[in-house]
Amino acid sequence: DKVLSLVDSCDMEHEAGVLSTAQYQNLQKAKELLDRHNSGDFYIHVGTTSLGEKYEALDKVDKKLKESQARELRAQYQGQIAGLREAEEPEIQADEFIVEEFVADHGAKACNPVDRMHFFDENAQETGEWIAWHIDSTRYASQVSMPTQWQIRSLRVYCKRSEPHYQEAAKRMFREWCSLRKTPPHV
């Protein structure tokens, strides 16, 4: 409520000539987002799929170059998905799809976080020998059910159109795009 009242007060300041047009336009975008959030008008999640070889190859590139290439690749993916429209389906433009990278890890990227841990002997207080030691993952991996993948990376696709017939068309287009890329969709 405080943010909305702030945006509303900026409306009054713009009308009074205190805010420049550029400042006002930026606030209008914020106000539109807040209105959409408050009304529950969110983008529709179409599906999730693996990144693919082209996208994963970007990890070996300079960070700024990676960001620009990833942006280009996401735009290319948006166009590919939008191009899979069938004749009877509603038209969804490429810019109505949002493709974003999703990364979840345990704080150590793709490395096993337990490999960085050190342990003390439980009798260290009695003996006075506080020596930290490391356990090799091969020692406990066979005894404990440990995950083999420490980082999850995927592409999430959203559609800006929230009408049901657009949602169904977008999901079908997404599944077809995944089958062309030979990556499994997770809708």
Side-chain angles (χ1 to χ4, degrees):
D1 287 338
K2 290 181 181 179
V3 175
L4 283 176
S5 63
L6 173 67
V7 173
D8 290 339
S9 69
C10 290
D11 281 340
M12 289 185 287
E13 288 181 15
H14 176 68
E15 290 170 10
V18 176
L19 287 176
S20 70
T21 305
Q23 290 172 320
Y24 181 72
Q25 287 174 344
N26 288 338
L27 288 173
Q28 279 303 104
K29 292 176 187 176
K31 184 177 180 181
E32 289 171 15
L33 285 173
L34 284 171
D35 289 342
R36 286 190 64 209
H37 179 269
N38 289 336
S39 67
D41 183 19
F42 301 112
Y43 295 146
I44 305 303
H45 181 252
V46 176
T48 305
T49 187
S50 63
L51 289 175
E53 295 173 11
K54 283 184 185 177
Y55 212 98
E56 289 179 351
L58 293 179
D59 282 345
K60 298 172 180 68
V61 183
D62 177 45
K63 188 173 183 172
K64 285 185 180 179
L65 184 61
K66 175 189 175 186
E67 289 173 10
S68 69
Q69 287 180 337
R71 231 183 344 269
E72 290 173 15
L73 201 52
R74 285 194 298 267
Q76 178 186 347
Y77 289 164
Q78 288 171 323
Q80 289 173 355
I81 295 170
L84 296 171
R85 183 177 85 85
E86 292 182 352
E88 70 277 357
E89 289 179 332
E91 186 174 353
I92 304 175
Q93 300 296 322
D95 63 347
E96 293 178 316
F97 284 103
I98 298 171
V99 179
E100 69 176 22
E101 180 182 3
F102 172 74
V103 179
D105 58 44
H106 298 277
K109 304 255 183 232
C111 301
N112 180 349
V114 181
D115 286 344
R116 295 182 177 184
M117 294 178 70
H118 287 76
F119 301 90
F120 292 98
D121 185 10
E122 63 185 343
N123 298 324
Q125 188 172 5
E126 295 170 10
T127 62
E129 296 180 21
W130 293 93
I131 300 172
W133 44 277
H134 178 263
I135 298 178
D136 185 27
S137 61
T138 56
R139 282 183 58 195
Y140 62 82
S142 61
Q143 299 168 354
V144 180
S145 175
M146 295 291 288
T148 56
Q149 188 176 2
W150 297 100
Q151 184 179 44
I152 298 169
R153 297 180 64 207
S154 59
L155 286 177
R156 288 186 174 175
V157 178
Y158 299 90
C159 183
K160 294 180 180 180
R161 304 293 296 260
S162 59
E163 297 89 353
H165 57 283
Y166 282 100
Q167 291 178 27
E168 292 306 314
K171 287 181 181 181
R172 191 212 53 80
M173 293 158 69
F174 172 74
R175 284 191 298 269
E176 186 176 340
W177 178 68
C178 288
S179 67
L180 289 174
R181 291 180 65 226
K182 296 179 176 61
T183 58
H186 309 287
V187 180

